[in-house]
Amino acid sequence: MSDSSAQPISFSLFRRVLSMAKPYRRTLYFTAVLTVVLAPLAIARPKLIQVMVDDYMFRGDVQGMTMLAGILFGVLLLEVVLRYLFLYNADWLGQITIRDLRVRVFNHVTRLNLSYFDKTPIGTSTTRTISDIEAINTIFSEGSITILADLLSIVAVMTIMFITSWKLTLVVLSVFPLLIWGSYQFKESVRKSYEKVRNHIATMNAFLQERITGMRMVQIFNAEAREAEKFRQINRDYTSANLRSILAYAIFFPIVEIISALSLGLMVWYGARGVLSGEITAGIIVAFLLYISMLYRPIRMLADKFNNLQMGLIAAERVFKLLETTETLRNDGTLVPAESQGEVRFEDVWFSYSGNADEAVLKNVSFHIKPGETLAIVGSTGSGKTTIISLLNRFYEIQSGSIKIDGHDLHDYDVYALRRRIAVVLQDVFLFSGTVLENITLRDSGITEEEVINAAKMIGAHEFIVKLPGGYQYQVRERGATLSMGQRQLISFVRALVFNPEILILDEATSSIDPESERIIQFAIERLIARRTSIIIAHRLSTIRHASNILVLEKGEVKEFGPQDELMTI
């Protein structure tokens, strides 16, 4: 994965990031004002000390020194308060902005077509939603505003230095070219290391997510050692990238200290001569000691902050690219029926996941399901059975033909209203971490616990649920790991029933369970499909014995269609 980070900072991208803070413009303006105020306030302290030394200390004016010390303390206290407000508001602005962005990205991801997830590793999407968005925070907390504050501070310090003694300032700045060259080399070195770090983080997240999810397969095939070696290599690459950045820091900061010490030595050497000749006062020497510290400290941090800014912009570019993904669901339908009859019709449907007609998964598929009928779809693996139900839910868009429900094209429906009328029970049931009740209702506040219990009793799942510790409040672990396949299927059946769909789809719902569980689930299926339009994808004849018609698919084409009795006589 390549990055655009080698290019100069994109100011259009930078403006786009700052525009995210528009709802909080008052905080942004307030922080900017604090930046402007703090710069001259910081240089007031050395100036006051210079006055104290030249005008009061050598004259023995204790009263004047006391007064000036009080003013100095007041300035210092004011600076501390304003610095606190500045840092707090800058960090608050970053956190509140990325909070909104994180919600925006998650909402966008949930609206993407399944085709996006088919070709994008989950770990990559996770990195965009968590790590990259967190990196954007540095644009506010360590980037734009703090960089502006440091630049203003440098300008203010250099201005007062030139006003105080331009000759001494030139002596101090004679080593500046070395510092600028070193800062540039440091910035470039760390930038390249950060690029690799961000890439390796995305790779590591994708690898870990995939292996942890598929840990059962890893252990079944004794692949732990091989996968561990792959992870060690990814981890070595990630560590090496971090170590390169650490090396840059270890070299740069001591060099800055050496240059700062050299600048200080030149200042003392020239300043001492100036004091002896009467050209420079002792107060100026004392003030310049503080000015040098105030000058080199932000310069030392600026290179690092520019890197943080650039890395934040790289992360922002990735996140914005995700937000600009056009693979979102086109939802311009307006039809929101109060109820549906459940009539389904496919007419000459062609579909390819790649969009290439030569790789069509469904070819000229046509069939009709009347309201209340049950259609069984059979066929070998890869024949297109699951694709049909994905298209019916508008998870993908067909290339040609039409799909209609109750005589209306799918595109006429509001997609969310359409999916509320359809329930799908998959072979691989996915359960979320949470209670059994939450997994059935999916936290839909419109479904009561009483309705869930009634549905569970109707399906035949209530008996096993109440035997669980806590009953309907039993905490299901991730993906339902503590429940059997049959139990997970029954929960998914209750889930389908409480949403009261007009169209029910069962995708090989009994293919992975034992015969005893199948008898219970067969009863559940009979209760589910009663008075509903149903589509059943199955290999077992027991599952499809109640089907009104059977659709036989072969390599994406309809080979046979009709009642089971007629097909058996052919």
Side-chain angles (χ1 to χ4, degrees):
M1 180 171 52
S2 62
D3 288 294
S4 60
S5 49
Q7 300 176 359
I9 291 177
S10 171
F11 289 100
S12 61
L13 180 62
F14 181 61
R15 286 194 298 270
R16 186 174 179 184
V17 172
L18 290 183
S19 68
M20 295 190 300
K22 191 174 182 180
Y24 314 102
R25 62 171 68 89
R26 289 185 179 179
T27 302
L28 180 62
Y29 295 157
F30 178 64
T31 308
V33 169
L34 289 176
T35 302
V36 176
V37 172
L38 280 169
L41 193 62
I43 63 174
R45 287 185 287 112
K47 189 64 178 176
L48 287 172
I49 291 175
Q50 176 191 336
V51 174
M52 181 185 293
V53 172
D54 290 340
D55 297 347
Y56 298 101
M57 190 174 73
F58 285 112
R59 296 180 182 180
D61 187 348
V62 177
Q63 183 178 358
M65 288 178 60
T66 304
M67 179 191 68
L68 209 57
I71 295 174
L72 184 63
F73 178 76
V75 170
L76 181 61
L77 186 63
L78 178 61
E79 184 182 355
V80 168
V81 173
L82 294 182
R83 183 75 60 183
Y84 160 76
L85 292 173
F86 169 76
L87 293 175
Y88 178 83
N89 281 278
D91 285 343
W92 181 90
L93 189 63
Q95 288 296 329
I96 210 73
T97 301
I98 65 170
R99 179 202 65 181
D100 296 345
L101 180 61
R102 195 177 288 116
V103 171
R104 179 182 168 192
V105 169
F106 180 78
N107 289 338
H108 179 77
V109 168
T110 59
R111 288 173 171 80
L112 290 172
N113 285 333
L114 289 185
S115 57
Y116 171 83
F117 301 99
D118 292 340
K119 59 189 179 185
T120 305
I122 295 176
T124 299
S125 298
T126 303
T127 301
R128 297 292 174 271
T129 311
I130 300 176
S131 301
D132 284 342
I133 290 181
E134 192 62 38
I136 296 174
N137 178 42
T138 61
I139 297 177
F140 295 94
S141 61
E142 301 177 25
S144 57
I145 300 176
T146 55
I147 287 175
L148 177 62
D150 287 343
L151 290 174
L152 287 176
S153 176
I154 292 171
V155 170
V157 169
M158 292 183 67
T159 300
I160 194 65
M161 287 173 68
F162 272 106
I163 292 173
T164 304
S165 174
W166 65 270
K167 290 182 180 179
L168 190 56
T169 303
L170 290 177
V171 171
V172 169
L173 297 181
S174 63
V175 294
F176 233 56
L178 288 175
L179 183 60
I180 294 174
W181 178 82
S183 299
Y184 176 78
Q185 295 299 324
F186 167 75
K187 182 181 77 68
E188 289 300 301
S189 177
V190 173
R191 177 186 60 76
K192 293 175 182 177
S193 298
Y194 278 1
E195 289 176 18
K196 294 179 181 179
V197 167
R198 300 305 306 171
N199 288 337
H200 289 314
I201 285 177
T203 301
M204 185 179 291
N205 284 343
F207 181 90
L208 286 174
Q209 191 280 330
E210 190 174 42
R211 267 54 178 190
I212 293 174
T213 303
M215 188 55 66
R216 184 183 298 272
M217 289 297 102
V218 171
Q219 295 183 357
I220 286 175
F221 290 97
N222 296 320
E224 294 95 332
R226 294 190 295 274
E227 296 303 325
E229 179 57 35
K230 291 179 184 177
F231 180 74
R232 274 193 291 270
Q233 182 59 50
I234 294 173
N235 196 33
R236 277 195 294 267
D237 294 339
Y238 174 68
T239 303
S240 297
N242 275 299
L243 288 176
R244 280 191 289 271
S245 66
I246 291 172
L247 177 63
Y249 280 96
I251 295 174
F252 177 68
F253 284 163
I255 288 178
V256 173
E257 292 299 327
I258 292 172
I259 296 174
S260 176
L262 181 59
S263 178
L264 182 62
L266 290 172
M267 187 275 295
V268 172
W269 170 74
Y270 184 84
R273 294 175 58 186
V275 171
L276 293 175
S277 64
E279 185 180 353
I280 296 174
T281 65
I284 291 176
I285 296 294
V286 175
F288 261 69
L289 290 173
L290 298 175
Y291 288 144
I292 290 175
S293 175
M294 295 174 64
L295 185 64
Y296 279 88
R297 185 177 64 250
I299 289 176
R300 183 179 62 182
M301 303 306 298
L302 267 178
D304 192 32
K305 289 179 179 179
F306 269 114
N307 278 321
N308 290 332
L309 174 61
Q310 196 166 33
M311 292 305 105
L313 290 175
I314 292 169
E317 185 175 23
R318 291 172 172 174
V319 172
F320 290 148
K321 189 175 294 183
L322 173 60
L323 290 172
E324 291 166 357
T325 301
T326 57
E327 297 179 57
T328 53
L329 181 68
R330 182 171 60 88
N331 184 23
D332 48 13
T334 57
L335 189 59
V336 183
E339 59 181 26
S340 172
Q341 298 300 316
E343 180 189 19
V344 177
R345 186 183 296 273
F346 274 56
E347 297 178 346
D348 303 324
V349 172
W350 286 76
F351 173 73
S352 168
Y353 286 101
S354 66
N356 188 345
D358 296 333
E359 300 174 2
V361 178
L362 295 181
K363 307 169 186 175
N364 200 36
V365 171
S366 299
F367 61 85
H368 178 218
I369 311 174
K370 296 179 181 178
E373 286 189 344
T374 299
L375 172 68
I377 304 178
V378 298
S380 59
T381 301
S383 60
K385 304 186 298 295
T386 301
T387 301
I388 286 178
I389 63 174
S390 295
L391 296 179
L392 188 60
N393 280 278
R394 273 201 70 194
F395 293 141
Y396 302 92
E397 300 290 1
I398 61 177
Q399 275 76 52
S400 64
S402 66
I403 303 175
K404 296 180 180 179
I405 293 180
D406 294 342
H408 298 281
D409 191 276
L410 290 189
H411 293 90
D412 296 335
Y413 288 89
D414 174 86
V415 70
Y416 305 110
L418 169 71
R419 290 175 182 170
R420 279 195 292 270
R421 310 263 57 89
I422 303 173
V424 182
V425 179
L426 300 172
Q427 174 186 359
D428 183 19
V429 178
F430 191 98
L431 297 182
F432 297 92
S433 299
T435 66
V436 171
L437 182 65
E438 289 171 340
N439 269 282
I440 292 173
T441 63
L442 297 179
R443 295 183 172 87
D444 188 334
S445 58
I447 301 174
T448 66
E449 184 172 357
E450 183 181 359
E451 290 174 322
V452 172
I453 293 174
N454 290 336
K457 289 179 178 178
M458 186 182 301
I459 293 293
H462 178 73
E463 184 177 351
F464 106 79
I465 293 177
V466 295
K467 289 180 180 178
L468 295 172
Y472 286 87
Q473 299 303 319
Y474 173 71
Q475 288 289 330
V476 179
R477 294 186 181 179
E478 187 178 6
R479 301 183 67 87
T482 55
L483 300 174
S484 70
M485 179 67 74
Q487 290 172 328
R488 295 201 295 269
Q489 283 289 11
L490 284 172
I491 289 176
S492 70
F493 284 147
V494 180
R495 178 195 292 168
L497 184 60
V498 295
F499 281 91
N500 194 27
E502 282 81 16
I503 300 173
L504 176 69
I505 299 173
L506 306 178
D507 187 0
E508 302 190 34
T510 62
S511 62
S512 301
I513 57 176
D514 57 86
E516 183 178 352
S517 298
E518 184 185 3
R519 286 193 294 272
I520 300 174
I521 289 179
Q522 191 60 46
F523 171 77
I525 290 175
E526 292 175 4
R527 303 303 298 269
L528 273 174
I529 65 176
R531 299 184 303 277
R532 285 186 176 85
T533 302
S534 306
I535 299 176
I536 301 176
I537 298 175
H539 289 113
R540 300 183 184 183
L541 292 176
S542 59
T543 309
I544 62 175
R545 65 173 181 260
H546 299 293
S548 307
N549 291 292
I550 296 177
L551 176 69
V552 181
L553 283 176
E554 182 178 332
K555 296 181 179 179
E557 298 182 273
V558 177
K559 292 300 180 183
E560 297 178 82
F561 179 82
Q564 183 175 355
D565 294 340
E566 291 183 10
L567 296 183
M568 293 295 290
T569 60
I570 297 177

